[in-house]
């Protein structure tokens, strides 16, 4: 069994270490981050660092890399306070992955990668029209992470659009019904196959099994 100490990880070749550490957390959500600058120029970037922070109020966290070089999405969020998250599905994986390329600030990844900017209900940031599950967020707090210079952006969910087939009666989601894909590392995409679903666990009671659909 391969074993790496902290010292081993530090000594690894850069790309090998990048690939390894990006994969060790397992499957991650694949989202397209939609933003605009103050002049309305659109930007789109694939990300995998979104985390749930709370349900009431509904808050999502987004970890952004250090702003030591131009970060168009980060700059746009700070300038306008609004952004969208759009699930990637099997029909747009190639286009979504293409947004990871480094484009000039005046080039929209929507146009360059063959995706469509969509504005809904007066929200300031663009959604990805092709996405099946779209979330509109407003920036509420920015938390610097001093250990590595990254930042945690905390946004409140202002709008949520999703397929009716993906919404269960209890409010949980059947993500395969939305064709949502997962991401491992930096470059490998997976479809989801549900294995089991269980109800609320209580001490000394059998865990109830729930239907997958």
């Amino acid at each position: 069994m391969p074993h790496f100490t902290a010292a081993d990880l530090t000594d690894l070749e850069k790309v090998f270490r990048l690939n390894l550490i990006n994969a060790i957390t397992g499957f991650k959500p694949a989202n397209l981050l939609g933003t605009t600058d103050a002049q309305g120029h659109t930007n789109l970037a694939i990300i995998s660092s979104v985390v749930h922070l709370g349900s009431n109020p509904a808050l999502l966290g987004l970890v952004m890399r250090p702003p030591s070089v131009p970060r168009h999405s980060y700059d746009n969020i700070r300038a306008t306070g609004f952004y969208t998250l759009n699930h990637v599905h099997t029909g747009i994986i190639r286009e979504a992955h293409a947004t990871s390329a480094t484009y000039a600030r005046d080039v929209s990844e929507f146009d360059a990668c063959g995706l469509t900017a969509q504005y809904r209900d007066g929200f300031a940031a663009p959604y990805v029209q092709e996405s099946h599950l779209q979330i509109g967020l407003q920036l509420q707090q920015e938390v610097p992470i001093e250990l590595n210079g990254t930042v945690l952006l905390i946004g409140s969910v202002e709008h949520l659009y999703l397929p009716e087939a993906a919404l269960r009666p209890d409010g949980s989601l059947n993500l395969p019904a939305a064709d949502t894909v997962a991401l491992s590392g930096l470059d490998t995409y997976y479809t989801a196959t549900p294995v089991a679903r269980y109800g609320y666990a209580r001490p000394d009671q059998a865990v109830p099994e729930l239907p997958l659909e």
Side-chain angles (χ1 to χ4, degrees):
M1 175 182 292
H3 170 222
F4 298 92
T5 66
D8 294 333
L9 294 175
T10 300
D11 292 337
L12 289 174
E13 188 271 330
K14 178 181 177 181
V15 174
F16 185 96
R17 181 177 61 246
L18 184 70
N19 288 331
L20 176 64
I21 301 304
N22 269 280
I24 60 175
T25 56
F27 299 120
K28 298 176 289 187
N31 283 286
L32 285 163
L33 173 63
T35 63
T36 64
D37 63 16
Q39 290 72 45
H41 302 120
T42 59
N43 181 267
L44 191 64
I46 190 164
I47 56 170
S48 60
S49 60
V50 174
V51 294
H52 164 85
L53 293 179
S55 300
N56 188 22
L59 299 174
L60 298 180
L62 167 61
V63 179
M64 302 289 284
R65 289 181 292 175
S68 54
V69 297
R71 304 288 184 199
H72 303 162
S73 296
Y74 175 68
D75 293 342
N76 291 350
I77 292 172
R78 296 195 73 192
T80 68
F82 297 94
Y83 53 105
T84 71
L85 295 172
N86 306 267
H87 281 207
V88 177
H89 60 78
T90 57
I92 59 170
I93 293 175
R94 185 181 296 273
E95 293 84 352
H97 189 76
T99 67
S100 64
T102 303
Y103 289 92
R105 183 175 290 276
D106 60 351
V107 174
S108 170
E109 287 83 359
F110 281 98
D111 298 332
C113 302
L115 295 167
T116 309
Q118 179 184 32
Y119 291 90
R120 308 182 72 165
D121 296 316
F123 196 66
Y127 299 94
V128 176
Q129 181 173 294
E130 291 81 3
S131 177
H132 298 157
L133 197 155
Q134 306 167 328
I135 310 166
L137 298 110
Q138 182 174 2
L139 180 65
Q140 298 296 337
Q141 186 177 356
E142 182 175 343
V143 181
I145 301 173
E146 296 179 357
L147 283 172
N148 61 0
T150 57
V151 292
L152 172 65
L153 303 182
I154 301 174
S156 58
V157 177
E158 303 297 323
H159 296 276
L160 173 61
Y161 305 92
L162 67 160
E164 184 173 354
L167 182 62
R168 296 191 181 105
D170 66 356
S172 63
L173 294 182
N174 179 358
L175 290 178
D179 199 22
T180 294
V181 301
L183 178 59
S184 175
L186 299 171
D187 57 12
T188 308
Y189 298 83
Y190 296 82
T191 56
T193 302
V195 177
R197 180 172 175 239
Y198 296 102
Y200 189 82
R202 293 178 172 84
D204 304 319
Q205 294 185 23
V207 178
E209 188 164 353
L210 301 178
L212 291 173
E213 296 301 323

